[in-house]
Amino acid sequence: MMGFSRPQTAAFWLMVAAIMIAPAILYPVFLMKVMCFALFACAFNLLIGYVGLGSFGHAAFFGMGAYITAYSAKAWGWTPEIAILAGGLVGGGLGLAFGWLAIRRQGIYFAMITLALAQMNYFLCTQWDFTGGEDGIQGVPRGNLFGLFSLKSDLAMYAVVAVIFVACFLLIHRIVHSPFGQVLKAIRENEPRATSLGYRTDDYKLMVFVLSAAIAGIAGGMKSLVFGIATLTDVNFPMSGEVILMALLGGMGTIFGPVVGAAIVITMQNYLAPFGAWVTVTQGVVFVVCVLAFRRGLIGELAARRRLSL
Amino acid sequence: MMMILGIPAPLLFGQLLLGVVNGAFYALMSLGLAIIFGMLNIVNFAHGALFMLGAFTAWGLLNYAGIGYWWALLLAPLIVGAFGVLLERLFISKLYKLDHLYGLLLTFGLALILEGLVRNYYGSSGLPYRIPSQLQGAQNLGFMIMPNYRGWVVLAAIVMCVITWLVIEKTSIGAKLRAATENAPLVQSFGINVPLMITLTYGAGVALAAFAGVLAAPIYSVNPNMGANFIIVVFAVVVIGGMGSILGSIVTGFGLGIVEGLTRVFYPEGSATVIFVVMVIVLLARPAGLFGRAH
């Protein structure tokens, strides 16, 4: 199905079943948070896992998506689907600008440039009026889907988030398994060779950067509607760090890894929240352990042991 | 009062001095990053955390052992440098054969651990560290009032940069270091202990960060986040200057500090972002960086 291998198909339906059953057992807002961040991590993974581009500034796209969705829903009364779409578009637009600058340098410089540009965006967000400065944009209404269905109840919102998440997840899978995706992997493995085969590798990198940024913007937009708030935390650097952690822990370059990674990191944050800065310490330890002991991540290791592709 | 371009001279020179002070920190930090990158091929994300650790070590020496600023200026870099050697042996040395990215991720994780631990024990509000008595007060230079301590920071940073430059460019150790940066296996075949040199290089780069941290302690309040935001600006400085050249790092560091100071006078809103804007312009005009070599 859609280029899924057999184990991937099984895992996909398992995930869909889990999404459908879970709200009966777990708090829906928590699950929606997991899905928003899972989508964010999948978007990030599209870059690092399939093209080998390590962006350290993805919070910019996520956070701007959150701000734009929140602002258009609150100030202009846009319906949620249009507001989220606007978040995605602005995320993608910002991605076009960042990507266009960052692909001029490679490897480690790419990471530093994306980090610096995101920090610039953060400082601008502290100064712009529409972001509400330190307060952020609060009390964002969830509104009515298509102007018809109220999303006030958590379960209605849950259904929307679940549909968008699964749709974007399938889109990412489709991108990876398209001819376009094959060129991306070729660039990851050997860029000069891809160039010599006649591909304009910079164009491909820029395109996938924009796609990744747009999906991150959608994820941020959803998050701001779920919680009714968009703040500086969403655009600040620690957010970029968290999404890297999710992808690394779950498995960079696997389809399901970032989802699992996001679920674990969000759960960890929930349970460790009372312990203050220990969250940071734990995240640091997970980083170190992942890099030293299992670079393929949880799903990557599982896939390698079982010789599956997940 | 003397006016320059419609700005009172004391204000202009005051901000310019602040800019040079910031530039001194950028120079020391990007110098350390460049040395480490040249030898280890790793971008040390923990550099900001180790800068912070330098400041905290100075504070700890004073409050727990009664050791004052001048000894701290010597001891803190040694202690933190030794800690860096430990980090290199335990963690970073495992990554040399891997992609650059993993080095960045690992050192980022180390930075999170260090900052989280310090925040747990000392809170994030910041601890005061007094300017040493010899450097209190200020000099009236006629066109501006210069606080003694700020003058000292600039002087100390310049001296340290010059020493580092001399060691790398003019001594035999520096020659071996440069040779190993170009071709490590060849240098090793001459019987030079390259792994030891790599470890010590990391220690030295870290010591430079800690030295900057001690210098910074009386200016900024000593707090766990003092390095985290700083390191991102230093990364932008490194992108602008390129990591290939020692002298380039120093010049770019001071230059950008001055640019930042001037922006604070003429367009205060832009002072937080000006370095990033310069980075964008440099990327457009000279993608390899001002002193970088295209690979």
Side-chain angles (χ1 to χ4, degrees):
Chain A
M1 188 192 84
M2 289 192 64
F4 275 131
S5 67
R6 190 175 276 238
Q8 280 174 333
T9 312
F12 175 72
W13 289 117
L14 196 71
M15 184 176 81
V16 171
I19 290 173
M20 276 154 64
I21 299 165
I25 310 160
L26 295 161
Y27 190 44
V29 172
F30 167 76
L31 292 170
M32 286 191 272
K33 186 176 182 187
V34 169
M35 282 193 282
C36 292
F37 279 92
L39 185 58
F40 184 24
C42 287
F44 172 77
N45 181 46
L46 181 60
L47 271 186
I48 197 164
Y50 296 99
V51 208
L53 291 175
S55 159
F56 272 63
H58 252 50
F61 316 124
F62 181 82
M64 282 313 276
Y67 273 132
I68 296 300
T69 302
Y71 190 81
S72 59
K74 190 179 175 187
W76 299 329
W78 287 9
T79 53
E81 74 285 351
I82 303 288
I84 291 175
L85 201 64
L89 283 176
V90 171
L94 196 64
L96 183 66
F98 281 22
W100 183 65
L101 288 166
I103 55 172
R104 287 155 188 267
R105 299 285 285 274
Q106 270 137 22
I108 220 71
Y109 284 102
F110 182 89
M112 288 195 278
I113 292 166
T114 48
L115 174 59
L117 289 172
Q119 187 74 354
M120 176 163 92
N121 181 60
Y122 167 77
F123 281 124
L124 291 174
C125 283
T126 63
Q127 292 172 349
W128 278 325
D129 286 332
F130 89 95
T131 59
E134 294 288 332
D135 299 329
I137 305 176
Q138 299 184 8
V140 180
R142 285 182 186 172
N144 299 323
L145 186 69
F146 306 122
L148 299 172
F149 312 102
S150 167
L151 298 180
K152 269 214 177 64
S153 88
D154 281 343
L155 278 180
M157 188 75 213
Y158 185 88
V160 173
V161 171
V163 167
I164 296 178
F165 168 71
V166 173
C168 288
F169 181 86
L170 289 174
L171 172 70
I172 290 173
H173 182 80
R174 203 47 249 160
I175 293 170
V176 170
H177 288 268
S178 64
F180 174 72
Q182 299 303 324
V183 179
L184 295 181
K185 283 184 224 167
I187 293 172
R188 177 186 68 186
E189 298 303 329
N190 192 337
E191 189 174 343
R193 190 139 180 217
T195 309
S196 76
L197 287 171
Y199 294 107
R200 292 173 189 267
T201 55
D202 277 358
D203 291 359
Y204 280 86
K205 284 193 211 169
L206 185 57
M207 267 192 274
V208 72
F209 196 94
V210 172
L211 283 170
S212 170
I215 297 170
I218 289 174
M222 286 203 300
K223 193 236 75 172
S224 71
L225 286 188
V226 169
F227 290 96
I229 184 168
T231 64
L232 287 173
T233 314
D234 300 330
V235 280
N236 202 0
F237 172 66
M239 189 63 89
S240 302
E242 262 166 37
V243 77
I244 298 170
L245 182 64
M246 290 169 187
L248 177 67
L249 177 61
M252 298 187 291
T254 64
I255 284 281
F256 292 94
V259 180
V260 174
I264 296 173
V265 171
I266 298 293
T267 311
M268 204 164 76
Q269 278 173 355
N270 263 24
Y271 284 99
L272 289 176
F275 301 102
W278 287 111
V279 179
T280 319
V281 178
T282 316
Q283 289 183 345
V285 171
V286 175
F287 257 110
V288 171
V289 171
C290 280
V291 171
L292 290 178
F294 58 115
R295 276 179 287 278
R296 282 187 287 223
L298 293 170
I299 296 296
E301 282 294 328
L302 182 75
R305 293 241 170 105
R306 298 269 156 138
R307 301 214 173 103
L308 303 171
S309 88
L310 282 171
Chain B
M1 190 183 288
M2 196 167 78
M3 303 285 274
I4 296 173
L5 298 172
I7 308 275
L11 173 70
L12 179 65
F13 288 113
Q15 290 295 350
L16 208 55
L17 176 65
L18 258 179
V20 179
V21 169
N22 273 337
F25 291 125
Y26 296 152
L28 281 175
M29 296 287 281
S30 57
L31 186 59
L33 278 180
I35 295 172
I36 292 173
F37 184 74
M39 197 67 190
L40 285 78
N41 252 329
I42 271 182
V43 174
N44 188 28
F45 212 123
H47 221 63
L50 293 160
F51 163 82
M52 177 272 294
L53 219 54
F56 262 92
T57 309
W59 182 88
L61 284 172
L62 181 67
N63 286 281
Y64 299 132
I67 295 171
Y69 177 82
W70 297 105
W71 279 106
L73 207 51
L74 178 69
L75 288 176
L78 288 178
I79 294 168
V80 179
F83 179 65
V85 166
L86 199 69
L87 289 182
E88 195 277 341
R89 279 291 90 205
L90 287 177
F91 303 113
I92 298 167
S93 58
K94 316 284 186 243
L95 299 179
Y96 293 141
K97 292 191 178 69
L98 299 170
D99 192 286
H100 287 334
L101 190 69
Y102 289 110
L104 198 59
L105 293 176
L106 178 86
T107 48
F108 176 58
L110 292 174
L112 286 181
I113 296 174
L114 293 175
E115 277 158 6
L117 285 176
V118 174
R119 204 175 312 143
N120 265 326
Y121 292 108
Y122 296 97
S124 42
S125 54
L127 308 162
Y129 190 91
R130 281 170 59 83
I131 293 175
S133 56
Q134 298 89 332
L135 292 173
Q136 281 170 2
Q139 302 294 325
N140 192 340
L141 299 180
F143 54 91
M144 66 175 289
I145 311 264
M146 183 177 76
N148 287 344
Y149 190 77
R150 299 221 166 117
W152 154 250
V153 167
V154 175
L155 184 71
I158 291 175
V159 169
M160 193 46 102
C161 286
V162 170
I163 290 175
T164 310
W165 182 76
L166 283 176
V167 168
I168 290 175
E169 298 293 334
K170 305 288 175 199
T171 65
S172 70
I173 296 177
K176 286 172 191 162
L177 202 76
R178 278 179 287 133
T181 303
E182 292 292 329
N183 191 338
L186 190 66
V187 172
Q188 194 153 15
S189 73
F190 288 145
I192 293 165
N193 189 344
V194 172
L196 179 70
M197 214 149 80
I198 288 176
T199 307
L200 291 180
T201 303
Y202 189 75
V206 166
L208 271 178
F211 180 77
V214 182
L215 284 181
I219 298 186
Y220 310 110
S221 77
V222 179
N223 74 78
N225 302 323
M226 64 193 288
N229 294 321
F230 194 49
I231 187 71
I232 301 180
V233 182
V234 174
F235 277 175
V237 172
V238 162
V239 171
I240 294 167
M243 285 193 284
S245 141
I246 300 293
L247 216 52
S249 303
I250 300 170
V251 172
T252 316
F254 277 103
L256 286 169
I258 292 170
V259 168
E260 203 181 31
L262 288 177
T263 313
R264 213 172 289 126
V265 179
F266 293 104
Y267 183 64
E269 296 86 353
S271 62
T273 44
V274 65
I275 290 190
F276 303 118
V277 174
V278 173
M279 182 188 81
V280 169
I281 295 168
V282 169
L283 280 174
L284 292 176
R286 237 187 102 84
L290 292 179
F291 297 90
R293 287 170 294 183
H295 288 287

